C-alpha cells in the first residue's frame, strides 16, 4: 500500500537523522570534555601586607588552593602567578538581573577568554539561550575548586552566599551592586567591563595583587 511505501521510505531518513544527532552530540560532548580538561586553576601565592611570608595561611596542592591553619586577623595579599582562567558568576535571585548577567558572561568569555561557571538554576536558564551553550555548570566541590575568582551581581547577601560555598579559603570576590543593600559591594554595574578587564589584564602584564583579610 501507499502508506507502507511511505513508511519504508521514511525509515532510512529517521535512521540517518538519529545517526547525525548522535554524532553531533558525541562531538559536542568531546569538545566540552576537552574544554573542561583545559580549565585548570591559576597558580597563586600569599604574602602578608608587611612583607613577611604567611605561616597561618598557606597554599597547597601545587599552588592551587588556599588553606588556613586557624582564624587570623592579618591582612594578606593573594598573588596570581599566571592569568586566571575560571570565573564563577553569581546573580541575585530574580529576573531583573538576567540581562546584566548575560552581558557579564559574554564579556568574560568572549572578550577576556575566561571559562565561565554558573550555579545550577542560573546555568539551566542561560545555557538554553542561543550563544550561551559554552557556559559550565558549577555544582560539585571539585568544580568549585577550579574557580580562580568569583563575580557577584547582587547585594551583601550574595557575597555571604559566595563565602559559604567555600568553608575553607574563598577565592577573591569581585562584587557588583545589584541588590537592595550593598554595603560590601565595591563596584557599580556600569563598571563591570572596566573592573574585570583591569583585573585580568593586570595579570597579563605585571601580575596582580588582591588585598584580602582572613
Amino acid at each position: 500500500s501507499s502508506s507502507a511505501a511511505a513508511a519504508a521510505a521514511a525509515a532510512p531518513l529517521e535512521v540517518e537523522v538519529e545517526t547525525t544527532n548522535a554524532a553531533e552530540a558525541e562531538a559536542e560532548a568531546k569538545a566540552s570534555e576537552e574544554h573542561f580538561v583545559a580549565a585548570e586553576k591559576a597558580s597563586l601565592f600569599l604574602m602578608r601586607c608587611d612583607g613577611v611570608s604567611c605561616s597561618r595561611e598557606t597554599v597547597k596542592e601545587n599552588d592551587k588552593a588556599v588553606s588556613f591553619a586557624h582564624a587570623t586577623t592579618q591582612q594578606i595579599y593573594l598573588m596570581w602567578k599566571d592569568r586566571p582562567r575560571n570565573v564563577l558568576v553569581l546573580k541575585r535571585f530574580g529576573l531583573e538581573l538576567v540581562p546584566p548577567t548575560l552581558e557579564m558572561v559574554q564579556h568574560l568569555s568572549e572578550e577576556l577568554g575566561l571559562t565561565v561557571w554558573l550555579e545550577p538554576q542560573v546555568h539551566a536558564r542561560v545555557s538554553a539561550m542561543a550563544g550561551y551553550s559554552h557556559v559550565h555548570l558549577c555544582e560539585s566541590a571539585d568544580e568549585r575548586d577550579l574557580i580562580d575568582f568569583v563575580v557577584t551581581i547582587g547585594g551583601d547577601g550574595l557575597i555571604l552566599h559566595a563565602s559559604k560555598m567555600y568553608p575553607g579559603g574563598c577565592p577573591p570576590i569581585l562584587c557588583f551592586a545589584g541588590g537592595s543593600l550593598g554595603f560590601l559591594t565595591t563596584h557599580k554595574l556600569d563598571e563591570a567591563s572596566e573592573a574585570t578587564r583591569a583585573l585580568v589584564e593586570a595579570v597579563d602584564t605585571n601580575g596582580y595583587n588582591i588585598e584580602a583579610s582572613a
Side-chain angles (χ1 to χ4, degrees):
S1 64
S2 58
S3 59
L13 179 61
E14 291 178 358
V15 172
E16 182 178 351
V17 170
E18 289 178 0
T19 303
T20 302
N21 291 340
E24 291 177 352
E26 184 178 354
E28 186 173 335
K30 183 177 180 180
S32 178
E33 182 180 355
E34 290 176 351
H35 193 179
F36 181 84
V37 171
E40 297 179 356
K41 189 171 183 177
S43 298
L44 56 91
F45 64 95
L46 301 174
M47 287 291 293
R48 277 173 32 184
C49 293
D50 57 8
V52 179
S53 297
C54 298
S55 57
R56 290 176 288 192
E57 309 87 2
T58 59
V59 179
K60 60 180 183 178
E61 298 179 7
N62 299 321
D63 299 339
K64 304 291 185 179
V66 178
S67 176
F68 298 93
H70 51 80
T72 176
T73 58
Q74 291 286 346
Q75 294 291 315
I76 63 174
Y77 281 104
L78 179 152
M79 301 182 69
W80 279 309
K81 296 181 179 179
D82 45 23
R83 196 178 196 268
R85 304 178 179 93
N86 299 278
V87 54
L88 172 62
V89 178
L90 304 177
K91 66 173 285 294
R92 192 188 64 178
F93 180 78
L95 297 178
E96 67 275 13
L97 292 178
V98 170
T101 300
L102 294 177
E103 291 179 10
M104 177 69 75
V105 169
Q106 185 177 36
H107 169 68
L108 293 170
S109 60
E110 297 186 7
E111 297 182 29
L112 299 183
L114 300 174
T115 300
V116 179
W117 300 77
L118 302 172
E119 287 188 295
Q121 187 175 20
V122 181
H123 180 271
R125 176 181 294 274
V126 173
S127 63
M129 298 180 178
Y132 292 92
S133 59
H134 62 282
V135 295
H136 288 254
L137 172 63
C138 185
E139 188 172 24
S140 69
D142 289 340
E143 291 160 345
R144 288 193 293 271
D145 286 344
L146 285 172
I147 302 303
D148 292 308
F149 69 100
V150 180
V151 167
T152 64
I153 304 175
D156 295 344
L158 191 60
I159 299 175
L160 296 177
H161 169 65
S163 65
K164 288 180 65 177
M165 295 176 67
Y166 293 89
C170 183
I173 302 176
L174 189 58
C175 317
F176 295 96
S180 56
L181 292 176
F183 297 111
L184 301 177
T185 53
T186 53
H187 297 280
K188 298 178 181 178
L189 269 177
D190 57 10
E191 301 171 347
S193 178
E194 179 182 357
T196 51
R197 184 177 296 277
L199 174 69
V200 174
E201 291 186 350
V203 180
D204 291 340
T205 55
N206 303 312
Y208 191 77
N209 301 342
I210 298 178
E211 186 175 351
S213 58

